[in-house]
Amino acid sequence: MKKSIILLGILATSIGLSACSNNTTTSSATNSSAHSGHEHHKATVADIREETPGGDVLPQFLKNQPKDMKLVYLSVAKNRELLEKIPCYCGCGMEANHKNSYDCFIFKNKRNGAVVWDDHGTKCGLCIEIAAKAMLDYNRGKSIKDIRKDIDEKYKEGYAQPTPTPSL
């Protein structure tokens, strides 16, 4: 578990303030302007969804993704309670009907334990950044309420409207 936390920390740090595209940047000014339109989300109908028997079996669309990306997806599956309380600020609430950060990675949990994964998170650095930061802080002992407050404060300006995640 400690190795997972360290890898998540490295991933969150390496992502920096990346935009929802293939272009990554650590400049706040560039980042704010890059998030103003979120043109990438207009094509979310092309998001890939794939079912696996459970949260410990990754979908094939992650096959050629970096190890860190796979780790984030596995960690998301184990942190549903947390991430369903954390909003995403990439614009996916409006464009993909996401309700929270969890929805960027997992479309549905079935009664039989199967998971329907969503590849949205593979295409959006901001989704990865928010989820990784929330999970790191949670594993370090921070409360969900404090994590939510920090996320809301960090992304309140220069980003898209948050997903309609209910207040805590």
Side-chain angles (χ1 to χ4, degrees):
M1 184 63 172
K2 187 168 179 98
K3 184 179 177 183
S4 295
I5 293 170
I6 292 168
L7 285 172
L8 276 172
I10 292 168
L11 177 63
T13 302
S14 69
I15 290 171
L17 294 173
S18 58
C20 292
S21 70
N22 292 332
N23 300 326
T24 57
T25 179
T26 56
S27 165
S28 294
T30 304
N31 189 43
S32 294
S33 64
H35 279 84
S36 62
H38 290 286
E39 288 75 36
H40 136 84
H41 293 292
K42 297 201 185 320
T44 55
V45 292
D47 282 353
I48 297 169
R49 294 191 177 132
E50 183 180 333
E51 183 174 322
T52 66
D56 56 344
V57 180
L58 289 173
Q60 286 298 305
F61 66 73
L62 289 173
K63 183 179 177 184
N64 296 321
Q65 295 292 339
K67 185 177 179 180
D68 290 345
M69 177 80 64
K70 294 173 186 173
L71 176 63
V72 169
Y73 268 81
L74 285 171
S75 298
V76 165
K78 295 175 184 171
N79 285 279
R80 181 179 182 181
E81 180 182 336
L82 165 66
L83 295 174
E84 284 185 337
K85 294 177 174 84
I86 303 299
C88 186
Y89 282 80
C90 77
C92 61
M94 295 287 290
E95 300 298 332
N97 202 30
H98 290 175
K99 305 293 183 226
N100 50 59
S101 183
Y102 187 78
D103 290 352
C104 299
F105 305 90
I106 296 179
F107 177 71
K108 184 177 188 178
N109 292 280
K110 294 193 167 185
R111 288 185 186 188
N112 66 359
V115 172
V116 180
W117 302 89
D118 192 314
D119 81 328
H120 179 87
T122 67
K123 301 177 281 190
C124 184
L126 190 59
C127 296
I128 294 282
E129 179 182 332
I130 290 171
K133 173 95 171 94
M135 292 185 293
L136 276 171
D137 287 350
Y138 190 67
N139 283 321
R140 291 178 178 152
K142 203 170 210 179
S143 73
I144 295 174
K145 188 173 185 174
D146 286 342
I147 295 167
R148 170 70 181 265
K149 180 181 169 192
D150 291 348
I151 296 286
D152 286 340
E153 183 63 28
K154 181 174 182 175
Y155 300 101
K156 70 181 180 183
E157 292 180 23
Y159 296 90
Q161 289 293 320
T163 53
T165 311
S167 297
L168 295 177

